Coordinates of all heavy atoms in Angstrom, one line a residue:
M1 N 12.3 -6.7 14.3 CA 10.9 -6.9 14.6 C 10.7 -8.5 14.6 O 10.8 -9.1 13.5 CB 10.0 -6.2 13.7 CG 8.5 -6.4 14.0 SD 7.6 -5.2 13.1 CE 6.2 -6.0 12.7
S2 N 10.3 -9.0 15.7 CA 10.1 -10.4 15.7 C 8.7 -10.8 15.2 O 7.7 -10.1 15.5 CB 10.2 -10.9 17.2 OG 10.0 -12.3 17.3
R3 N 8.6 -11.8 14.4 CA 7.4 -12.2 13.8 C 7.1 -13.7 14.1 O 8.0 -14.4 14.6 CB 7.4 -12.0 12.3 CG 7.5 -10.7 11.8 CD 7.2 -10.6 10.3 NE 7.2 -9.3 9.8 CZ 8.3 -8.7 9.2 NH1 9.4 -9.4 9.1 NH2 8.2 -7.5 8.8
N4 N 6.0 -14.1 13.7 CA 5.6 -15.5 13.7 C 6.5 -16.3 12.7 O 6.8 -15.9 11.6 CB 4.1 -15.6 13.2 CG 3.6 -16.9 13.1 OD1 4.2 -17.8 12.5 ND2 2.4 -17.1 13.6
P5 N 7.0 -17.5 13.2 CA 7.9 -18.2 12.4 C 7.3 -18.7 11.1 O 8.0 -18.7 10.1 CB 8.3 -19.4 13.2 CG 7.9 -19.1 14.6 CD 6.9 -18.0 14.6
Q6 N 6.0 -18.9 11.1 CA 5.4 -19.3 9.9 C 5.3 -18.2 8.9 O 5.6 -18.3 7.7 CB 3.9 -19.8 10.1 CG 3.2 -20.3 8.9 CD 1.8 -20.9 9.3 OE1 1.2 -20.4 10.2 NE2 1.4 -21.8 8.5
L7 N 5.1 -17.0 9.4 CA 5.1 -15.8 8.5 C 6.5 -15.5 8.0 O 6.7 -15.1 6.8 CB 4.5 -14.6 9.4 CG 4.3 -13.3 8.6 CD1 3.3 -13.5 7.5 CD2 3.8 -12.3 9.6
E8 N 7.4 -15.6 8.9 CA 8.9 -15.4 8.4 C 9.2 -16.4 7.3 O 9.9 -16.0 6.3 CB 9.8 -15.7 9.6 CG 9.9 -14.5 10.5 CD 10.5 -13.3 10.0 OE1 11.5 -13.4 9.2 OE2 10.1 -12.2 10.4
A9 N 8.7 -17.7 7.4 CA 9.0 -18.7 6.4 C 8.3 -18.3 5.0 O 8.9 -18.5 3.9 CB 8.6 -20.1 6.8
I10 N 7.1 -17.8 5.1 CA 6.4 -17.3 3.9 C 7.2 -16.1 3.3 O 7.4 -16.1 2.0 CB 5.0 -16.9 4.3 CG1 4.1 -18.1 4.6 CG2 4.3 -16.1 3.1 CD1 2.8 -17.8 5.2
F11 N 7.6 -15.2 4.0 CA 8.3 -14.0 3.5 C 9.6 -14.5 2.9 O 10.0 -14.0 1.8 CB 8.6 -13.0 4.6 CG 7.3 -12.2 5.0 CD1 7.3 -11.5 6.2 CD2 6.2 -12.2 4.2 CE1 6.1 -10.9 6.6 CE2 5.0 -11.6 4.6 CZ 5.0 -10.9 5.8
E12 N 10.3 -15.3 3.6 CA 11.6 -15.8 3.0 C 11.4 -16.6 1.7 O 12.2 -16.4 0.7 CB 12.3 -16.8 4.1 CG 13.7 -17.2 3.7 CD 14.7 -16.1 3.7 OE1 14.6 -15.2 4.4 OE2 15.7 -16.2 2.9
A13 N 10.3 -17.4 1.6 CA 10.1 -18.1 0.4 C 9.7 -17.2 -0.7 O 10.1 -17.4 -1.9 CB 8.9 -19.1 0.6
R14 N 8.9 -16.2 -0.5 CA 8.6 -15.2 -1.5 C 9.8 -14.4 -2.0 O 10.1 -14.2 -3.1 CB 7.6 -14.2 -1.0 CG 7.2 -13.2 -2.0 CD 6.0 -12.4 -1.6 NE 5.8 -11.3 -2.6 CZ 4.8 -10.5 -2.5 NH1 4.0 -10.5 -1.5 NH2 4.6 -9.6 -3.4
Y15 N 10.7 -14.0 -1.0 CA 11.9 -13.3 -1.3 C 12.8 -14.2 -2.2 O 13.4 -13.7 -3.2 CB 12.6 -12.9 0.0 CG 13.9 -12.1 -0.3 CD1 13.7 -10.7 -0.5 CD2 15.1 -12.6 -0.3 CE1 14.8 -9.8 -0.7 CE2 16.2 -11.8 -0.6 CZ 16.1 -10.4 -0.7 OH 17.2 -9.6 -0.9
L16 N 13.0 -15.4 -1.9 CA 13.8 -16.4 -2.7 C 13.2 -16.5 -4.1 O 13.9 -16.6 -5.0 CB 14.0 -17.7 -1.9 CG 14.8 -17.7 -0.6 CD1 14.7 -19.0 0.1 CD2 16.2 -17.2 -0.9
W17 N 11.9 -16.7 -4.1 CA 11.2 -16.8 -5.4 C 11.5 -15.6 -6.3 O 11.8 -15.7 -7.5 CB 9.7 -17.1 -5.2 CG 8.9 -16.8 -6.5 CD1 9.1 -17.5 -7.7 CD2 7.9 -15.9 -6.6 NE1 8.2 -17.0 -8.6 CE2 7.4 -16.0 -8.0 CE3 7.3 -15.0 -5.8 CZ2 6.4 -15.3 -8.5 CZ3 6.2 -14.2 -6.3 CH2 5.8 -14.4 -7.6
E18 N 11.3 -14.4 -5.7 CA 11.4 -13.1 -6.5 C 12.9 -13.0 -6.9 O 13.1 -12.2 -8.0 CB 11.0 -11.9 -5.6 CG 9.5 -11.9 -5.4 CD 9.1 -10.7 -4.6 OE1 10.0 -10.1 -3.9 OE2 7.9 -10.3 -4.5
N19 N 13.8 -13.5 -6.2 CA 15.2 -13.3 -6.6 C 15.9 -14.5 -7.3 O 17.1 -14.6 -7.5 CB 16.0 -12.9 -5.4 CG 15.6 -11.5 -4.9 OD1 15.9 -10.6 -5.5 ND2 14.9 -11.5 -3.8
A20 N 15.1 -15.5 -7.6 CA 15.6 -16.7 -8.2 C 15.7 -16.6 -9.8 O 15.0 -15.7 -10.3 CB 14.7 -17.9 -7.9
A21 N 16.5 -17.4 -10.3 CA 16.6 -17.4 -11.8 C 16.5 -18.8 -12.4 O 16.7 -19.7 -11.7 CB 18.0 -16.8 -12.2
G22 N 16.1 -18.8 -13.6 CA 16.0 -20.1 -14.3 C 15.0 -21.1 -13.7 O 14.0 -20.7 -13.2
P23 N 15.4 -22.4 -13.8 CA 14.5 -23.4 -13.3 C 14.2 -23.4 -11.8 O 13.2 -23.9 -11.4 CB 15.2 -24.7 -13.7 CG 16.7 -24.3 -13.9 CD 16.7 -22.9 -14.4
E24 N 15.2 -22.8 -11.1 CA 15.0 -22.7 -9.6 C 13.8 -21.8 -9.3 O 13.1 -22.0 -8.3 CB 16.2 -22.1 -9.0 CG 16.2 -22.1 -7.5 CD 17.5 -21.5 -7.0 OE1 17.7 -20.2 -7.1 OE2 18.3 -22.3 -6.5
R25 N 13.4 -20.9 -10.2 CA 12.3 -20.0 -10.0 C 11.0 -20.7 -9.8 O 10.2 -20.4 -8.9 CB 12.2 -19.0 -11.1 CG 11.3 -17.8 -10.9 CD 11.6 -16.7 -11.8 NE 10.6 -15.7 -11.8 CZ 10.5 -14.7 -11.0 NH1 11.4 -14.6 -10.0 NH2 9.5 -13.9 -11.0
S26 N 10.7 -21.7 -10.6 CA 9.4 -22.4 -10.5 C 9.4 -23.2 -9.2 O 8.4 -23.4 -8.6 CB 9.2 -23.3 -11.7 OG 10.1 -24.3 -11.8
E27 N 10.5 -23.8 -8.8 CA 10.6 -24.5 -7.6 C 10.3 -23.6 -6.4 O 9.6 -24.0 -5.5 CB 12.0 -25.2 -7.4 CG 12.3 -26.3 -8.4 CD 13.7 -26.8 -8.3 OE1 14.4 -26.5 -7.2 OE2 14.2 -27.4 -9.2
R28 N 10.9 -22.5 -6.4 CA 10.7 -21.5 -5.3 C 9.2 -21.0 -5.2 O 8.6 -20.8 -4.2 CB 11.6 -20.2 -5.5 CG 13.1 -20.6 -5.5 CD 13.5 -20.9 -4.1 NE 15.0 -21.0 -4.2 CZ 15.6 -21.4 -3.1 NH1 15.1 -21.7 -2.0 NH2 16.9 -21.5 -3.2
L29 N 8.6 -20.8 -6.4 CA 7.2 -20.4 -6.4 C 6.3 -21.6 -5.8 O 5.4 -21.2 -5.1 CB 6.7 -20.2 -7.9 CG 5.3 -19.7 -8.0 CD1 4.9 -18.5 -7.3 CD2 5.0 -19.5 -9.5
C30 N 6.6 -22.8 -6.1 CA 5.8 -23.9 -5.6 C 5.9 -23.9 -4.1 O 5.0 -24.2 -3.4 CB 6.2 -25.2 -6.2 SG 5.8 -25.5 -7.9
E31 N 7.1 -23.7 -3.6 CA 7.4 -23.7 -2.1 C 6.6 -22.5 -1.5 O 6.0 -22.7 -0.4 CB 8.9 -23.6 -1.8 CG 9.2 -23.5 -0.4 CD 8.9 -24.7 0.5 OE1 8.6 -25.7 -0.1 OE2 8.9 -24.6 1.7
Y32 N 6.6 -21.4 -2.1 CA 5.9 -20.2 -1.6 C 4.4 -20.5 -1.5 O 3.8 -20.3 -0.5 CB 6.2 -19.0 -2.5 CG 5.4 -17.8 -2.2 CD1 5.4 -17.1 -1.0 CD2 4.7 -17.2 -3.2 CE1 4.7 -16.0 -0.7 CE2 3.9 -16.1 -2.9 CZ 3.9 -15.5 -1.7 OH 3.2 -14.3 -1.4
H33 N 3.8 -21.0 -2.6 CA 2.4 -21.3 -2.6 C 2.1 -22.4 -1.6 O 1.0 -22.4 -1.0 CB 2.0 -21.8 -4.0 CG 1.9 -20.6 -5.0 ND1 1.7 -20.9 -6.3 CD2 1.9 -19.3 -4.8 CE1 1.6 -19.7 -6.9 NE2 1.7 -18.7 -6.0
R34 N 3.0 -23.4 -1.4 CA 2.7 -24.4 -0.4 C 2.6 -23.8 1.0 O 1.7 -24.2 1.7 CB 3.8 -25.5 -0.5 CG 3.6 -26.6 0.5 CD 4.8 -27.6 0.5 NE 6.0 -26.9 1.1 CZ 6.2 -26.7 2.5 NH1 5.3 -27.0 3.3 NH2 7.3 -26.1 2.8
L35 N 3.5 -22.9 1.3 CA 3.5 -22.3 2.6 C 2.2 -21.4 2.8 O 1.7 -21.4 3.9 CB 4.8 -21.4 2.8 CG 6.0 -22.2 3.0 CD1 7.2 -21.4 2.9 CD2 6.0 -23.1 4.3
L36 N 1.8 -20.7 1.7 CA 0.6 -20.0 1.8 C -0.6 -20.9 2.0 O -1.5 -20.6 2.9 CB 0.3 -19.2 0.6 CG 1.3 -18.0 0.3 CD1 1.0 -17.3 -1.1 CD2 1.0 -16.9 1.4
N37 N -0.7 -22.0 1.4 CA -1.8 -23.0 1.5 C -1.8 -23.5 2.9 O -2.8 -23.7 3.5 CB -1.7 -24.1 0.5 CG -2.0 -23.6 -0.9 OD1 -2.7 -22.6 -1.1 ND2 -1.5 -24.3 -1.9
E38 N -0.6 -23.8 3.5 CA -0.5 -24.3 4.8 C -1.0 -23.3 5.8 O -1.7 -23.7 6.8 CB 0.9 -24.7 5.2 CG 1.4 -26.0 4.6 CD 2.9 -26.3 4.9 OE1 3.5 -25.6 5.8 OE2 3.4 -27.3 4.4
A39 N -0.7 -22.0 5.7 CA -1.1 -21.0 6.5 C -2.6 -20.9 6.5 O -3.3 -20.8 7.6 CB -0.5 -19.7 6.2
L40 N -3.2 -21.0 5.3 CA -4.6 -20.9 5.2 C -5.3 -22.1 5.9 O -6.3 -21.9 6.6 CB -5.1 -20.8 3.7 CG -4.7 -19.5 3.0 CD1 -5.0 -19.6 1.5 CD2 -5.6 -18.3 3.6
A41 N -4.8 -23.3 5.7 CA -5.3 -24.5 6.3 C -5.2 -24.4 7.8 O -6.1 -24.8 8.5 CB -4.6 -25.7 5.7
K42 N -4.1 -24.0 8.2 CA -3.9 -23.9 9.7 C -4.8 -22.9 10.4 O -5.3 -23.2 11.5 CB -2.4 -23.5 10.0 CG -2.1 -23.4 11.5 CD -0.6 -23.1 11.7 CE -0.3 -23.0 13.2 NZ 1.1 -22.6 13.4
A43 N -5.1 -21.8 9.7 CA -6.1 -20.9 10.2 C -7.5 -21.2 10.0 O -8.4 -20.6 10.4 CB -5.8 -19.5 9.6
A44 N -7.7 -22.3 9.3 CA -9.1 -22.9 9.0 C -9.9 -21.9 8.3 O -11.1 -21.7 8.5 CB -9.8 -23.4 10.3
I45 N -9.3 -21.2 7.4 CA -10.0 -20.2 6.6 C -10.3 -20.9 5.3 O -9.4 -21.1 4.4 CB -9.1 -18.9 6.3 CG1 -8.8 -18.3 7.6 CG2 -9.8 -18.0 5.4 CD1 -7.8 -17.1 7.6
Q46 N -11.5 -21.2 5.1 CA -11.9 -22.0 3.9 C -12.2 -21.1 2.7 O -11.9 -21.4 1.5 CB -13.1 -22.9 4.2 CG -12.8 -23.9 5.2 CD -14.0 -24.7 5.7 OE1 -15.1 -24.5 5.1 NE2 -13.9 -25.6 6.7
A47 N -12.8 -19.9 2.9 CA -13.2 -19.1 1.9 C -12.1 -18.2 1.3 O -12.2 -17.7 0.1 CB -14.4 -18.2 2.3
A48 N -11.0 -18.1 2.0 CA -9.9 -17.2 1.5 C -9.1 -17.9 0.5 O -8.8 -19.1 0.6 CB -9.1 -16.7 2.7
A49 N -8.5 -17.1 -0.4 CA -7.7 -17.6 -1.5 C -6.3 -17.1 -1.1 O -6.0 -16.2 -0.4 CB -8.1 -17.1 -2.8
R50 N -5.3 -17.7 -1.8 CA -3.9 -17.3 -1.6 C -3.8 -15.8 -2.0 O -3.0 -15.1 -1.2 CB -3.0 -18.1 -2.5 CG -2.6 -19.5 -2.0 CD -1.5 -20.1 -2.8 NE -1.6 -19.9 -4.2 CZ -1.7 -21.0 -5.1 NH1 -1.7 -22.2 -4.6 NH2 -1.7 -20.8 -6.4
E51 N -4.4 -15.4 -3.0 CA -4.3 -14.0 -3.4 C -4.8 -13.0 -2.2 O -4.2 -12.0 -2.0 CB -5.1 -13.7 -4.6 CG -4.5 -14.4 -5.9 CD -4.9 -15.9 -6.0 OE1 -5.9 -16.3 -5.3 OE2 -4.3 -16.6 -6.8
E52 N -5.8 -13.4 -1.6 CA -6.3 -12.6 -0.5 C -5.3 -12.5 0.7 O -5.0 -11.4 1.2 CB -7.6 -13.1 0.1 CG -8.8 -13.0 -0.9 CD -10.0 -13.6 -0.5 OE1 -10.2 -14.8 -0.7 OE2 -10.8 -12.9 0.2
L53 N -4.7 -13.7 1.0 CA -3.7 -13.7 2.0 C -2.4 -12.8 1.6 O -1.9 -12.1 2.4 CB -3.2 -15.1 2.3 CG -2.2 -15.3 3.4 CD1 -2.6 -14.7 4.7 CD2 -1.9 -16.8 3.6
E54 N -2.0 -13.0 0.3 CA -0.9 -12.2 -0.1 C -1.2 -10.7 0.0 O -0.4 -9.9 0.4 CB -0.6 -12.5 -1.6 CG 0.1 -13.8 -1.8 CD 0.3 -14.1 -3.3 OE1 -0.7 -14.2 -4.0 OE2 1.5 -14.3 -3.7
D55 N -2.4 -10.3 -0.4 CA -2.9 -8.9 -0.3 C -2.8 -8.4 1.1 O -2.4 -7.3 1.4 CB -4.3 -8.7 -0.9 CG -4.3 -8.8 -2.4 OD1 -3.3 -8.8 -3.0 OD2 -5.5 -9.0 -2.9
A56 N -3.2 -9.2 2.1 CA -3.2 -8.9 3.5 C -1.8 -8.7 4.0 O -1.5 -8.0 4.9 CB -3.9 -9.9 4.3
L57 N -0.8 -9.4 3.4 CA 0.6 -9.4 3.9 C 1.5 -8.4 3.1 O 2.7 -8.4 3.4 CB 1.1 -10.8 3.8 CG 0.5 -11.9 4.6 CD1 1.1 -13.3 4.3 CD2 0.6 -11.5 6.1
V58 N 0.9 -7.7 2.2 CA 1.8 -6.8 1.3 C 2.7 -5.9 2.1 O 3.9 -5.8 1.9 CB 0.9 -6.0 0.3 CG1 1.7 -4.9 -0.3 CG2 0.4 -6.9 -0.8
E59 N 2.1 -5.1 3.0 CA 2.9 -4.1 3.7 C 4.0 -4.8 4.7 O 5.1 -4.4 4.7 CB 2.0 -3.2 4.5 CG 2.7 -2.0 5.0 CD 3.3 -1.1 3.9 OE1 2.6 -1.0 2.9 OE2 4.4 -0.6 4.1
A60 N 3.6 -5.8 5.3 CA 4.5 -6.6 6.2 C 5.7 -7.2 5.4 O 6.8 -7.2 5.8 CB 3.8 -7.7 7.0
Y61 N 5.3 -7.7 4.2 CA 6.4 -8.2 3.3 C 7.3 -7.1 2.8 O 8.5 -7.3 2.7 CB 5.8 -8.9 2.1 CG 6.9 -9.4 1.2 CD1 7.7 -10.4 1.6 CD2 7.1 -8.9 -0.1 CE1 8.7 -10.9 0.7 CE2 8.1 -9.3 -0.9 CZ 9.0 -10.3 -0.5 OH 10.0 -10.6 -1.3
R62 N 6.8 -6.0 2.5 CA 7.7 -4.9 2.0 C 8.7 -4.5 3.1 O 9.9 -4.3 2.9 CB 6.8 -3.6 1.7 CG 6.2 -3.7 0.4 CD 5.4 -2.4 0.1 NE 4.6 -2.6 -1.2 CZ 3.5 -2.0 -1.3 NH1 3.0 -1.2 -0.5 NH2 2.9 -2.3 -2.5
E63 N 8.2 -4.5 4.4 CA 9.1 -4.2 5.5 C 10.2 -5.4 5.6 O 11.4 -5.1 5.9 CB 8.3 -4.2 6.8 CG 9.1 -3.9 8.0 CD 8.3 -3.9 9.3 OE1 7.1 -3.5 9.2 OE2 8.8 -4.4 10.3
F64 N 9.7 -6.6 5.5 CA 10.7 -7.8 5.5 C 11.7 -7.6 4.4 O 12.9 -7.8 4.6 CB 9.9 -9.1 5.3 CG 10.8 -10.3 5.2 CD1 11.3 -10.9 6.3 CD2 11.1 -10.7 3.9 CE1 12.1 -12.1 6.1 CE2 11.9 -11.8 3.7 CZ 12.4 -12.5 4.8
R65 N 11.3 -7.3 3.1 CA 12.2 -7.2 2.0 C 13.2 -6.1 2.2 O 14.4 -6.2 2.0 CB 11.4 -7.0 0.8 CG 12.2 -7.0 -0.5 CD 11.3 -6.9 -1.7 NE 10.7 -5.5 -1.7 CZ 9.6 -5.3 -2.3 NH1 9.0 -6.2 -3.1 NH2 9.0 -4.1 -2.3
R66 N 12.7 -5.0 2.8 CA 13.6 -3.8 3.0 C 14.7 -4.2 4.0 O 15.8 -3.9 3.8 CB 12.7 -2.6 3.6 CG 13.4 -1.3 3.6 CD 12.5 -0.2 4.1 NE 11.2 -0.3 3.4 CZ 10.0 -0.3 4.1 NH1 10.0 -0.4 5.4 NH2 8.9 -0.5 3.4
A67 N 14.3 -4.9 5.1 CA 15.2 -5.3 6.1 C 16.2 -6.3 5.5 O 17.4 -6.3 5.8 CB 14.5 -6.0 7.3
K68 N 15.7 -7.3 4.7 CA 16.6 -8.3 4.0 C 17.6 -7.6 3.2 O 18.8 -8.0 3.2 CB 15.7 -9.2 3.2 CG 16.4 -10.4 2.8 CD 16.5 -11.4 3.8 CE 16.9 -12.7 3.2 NZ 17.2 -13.7 4.2
R69 N 17.2 -6.6 2.4 CA 18.2 -5.9 1.5 C 19.2 -5.1 2.3 O 20.4 -5.1 2.0 CB 17.5 -5.0 0.6 CG 16.7 -5.8 -0.4 CD 16.0 -4.9 -1.5 NE 15.4 -5.7 -2.5 CZ 14.4 -5.3 -3.2 NH1 14.0 -4.1 -3.2 NH2 13.9 -6.1 -4.2
L70 N 18.8 -4.5 3.4 CA 19.8 -3.8 4.3 C 20.8 -4.8 4.8 O 21.9 -4.5 5.0 CB 19.0 -3.0 5.4 CG 18.3 -1.8 5.0 CD1 17.4 -1.3 6.1 CD2 19.2 -0.8 4.4
E71 N 20.3 -6.0 5.2 CA 21.1 -7.0 5.8 C 22.2 -7.5 4.8 O 23.3 -7.6 5.1 CB 20.3 -8.1 6.3 CG 21.0 -9.3 6.9 CD 20.0 -10.4 7.2 OE1 19.1 -10.2 7.9 OE2 20.3 -11.6 6.7
E72 N 21.7 -7.7 3.5 CA 22.6 -8.1 2.4 C 23.7 -7.0 2.2 O 24.8 -7.3 2.0 CB 21.8 -8.4 1.2 CG 21.0 -9.7 1.4 CD 20.1 -9.9 0.1 OE1 20.0 -9.0 -0.7 OE2 19.5 -11.0 0.1
R73 N 23.2 -5.7 2.2 CA 24.2 -4.7 1.9 C 25.3 -4.6 3.0 O 26.4 -4.3 2.8 CB 23.5 -3.3 1.8 CG 22.8 -3.1 0.5 CD 22.1 -1.8 0.5 NE 21.2 -1.8 -0.6 CZ 20.0 -1.1 -0.6 NH1 19.7 -0.3 0.4 NH2 19.3 -1.1 -1.7
A74 N 24.8 -4.8 4.3 CA 25.7 -4.8 5.4 C 26.8 -5.9 5.3 O 27.9 -5.7 5.5 CB 25.0 -4.9 6.7
K75 N 26.3 -7.1 4.9 CA 27.2 -8.2 4.6 C 28.2 -7.9 3.6 O 29.4 -8.2 3.7 CB 26.5 -9.5 4.2 CG 25.7 -10.1 5.4 CD 25.0 -11.4 4.9 CE 24.2 -12.0 6.0 NZ 23.5 -13.2 5.6
L76 N 27.8 -7.2 2.5 CA 28.7 -7.0 1.4 C 29.7 -5.9 1.8 O 30.9 -6.0 1.5 CB 27.9 -6.5 0.2 CG 27.1 -7.4 -0.6 CD1 26.3 -6.7 -1.7 CD2 28.1 -8.5 -1.2
S77 N 29.3 -4.9 2.6 CA 30.2 -3.9 3.0 C 31.2 -4.4 4.0 O 32.4 -4.0 4.1 CB 29.5 -2.7 3.6 OG 28.9 -3.1 4.8
R78 N 30.9 -5.4 4.8 CA 31.9 -6.1 5.7 C 32.9 -6.9 5.0 O 34.0 -7.1 5.4 CB 31.1 -7.0 6.7 CG 30.4 -6.3 7.8 CD 29.9 -7.2 8.8 NE 28.9 -8.0 8.1 CZ 27.7 -8.2 8.7 NH1 27.4 -7.9 9.9 NH2 26.7 -8.9 8.0
L79 N 32.5 -7.4 3.8 CA 33.5 -8.2 3.0 C 34.5 -7.3 2.3 O 35.6 -7.8 1.9 CB 32.7 -9.0 1.9 CG 31.8 -10.1 2.5 CD1 31.0 -10.7 1.3 CD2 32.6 -11.2 3.2
R80 N 34.2 -6.1 2.1 CA 35.2 -5.2 1.4 C 36.3 -4.8 2.3 O 36.6 -4.8 3.3 CB 34.5 -4.0 0.9 CG 33.5 -4.3 -0.1 CD 32.8 -3.1 -0.6 NE 31.8 -3.5 -1.6 CZ 30.9 -2.6 -2.1 NH1 30.9 -1.4 -1.7 NH2 30.0 -3.0 -2.9

């Protein structure tokens, strides 16, 4: 499913943050929040908060994460 490149970047940043470890985790969180803030600014939504945007994207992100995991499994099975 093709999405908006900005939305894809947000989902990728969230996925990387959720799967990061150690000091890299805080860097990934900052990047994720930066992308959310940019999306809100670009849409000129002044009253909305990052949390509201995240809530609106929950289902689409679940679909992204599911596809990402299937892709990773497919890569692993090809390596075997």
Side-chain angles (χ1 to χ4, degrees):
M1 179 167 148
S2 179
R3 291 192 183 96
N4 176 310
Q6 186 176 25
L7 188 57
E8 286 289 327
I10 290 170
F11 290 161
E12 185 69 28
R14 181 173 176 176
Y15 186 82
L16 291 172
W17 163 59
E18 288 178 346
N19 293 289
E24 186 180 74
R25 190 164 169 81
S26 64
E27 293 172 18
R28 299 289 187 184
L29 180 60
C30 289
E31 176 66 10
Y32 172 59
H33 283 171
R34 183 186 67 75
L35 291 170
L36 287 174
N37 290 337
E38 284 179 7
L40 290 170
K42 183 177 179 181
I45 301 173
Q46 298 173 2
R50 279 194 314 243
E51 292 81 15
E52 292 174 273
L53 180 56
E54 286 178 301
D55 290 344
L57 297 175
V58 164
E59 195 57 41
Y61 176 68
R62 284 184 186 146
E63 181 183 323
F64 172 87
R65 188 178 61 204
R66 194 174 316 121
K68 190 81 167 170
R69 288 184 177 157
L70 287 173
E71 180 183 306
E72 289 172 353
R73 286 183 191 146
K75 284 181 184 177
L76 287 175
S77 67
R78 284 186 292 224
L79 293 175
R80 292 181 187 173

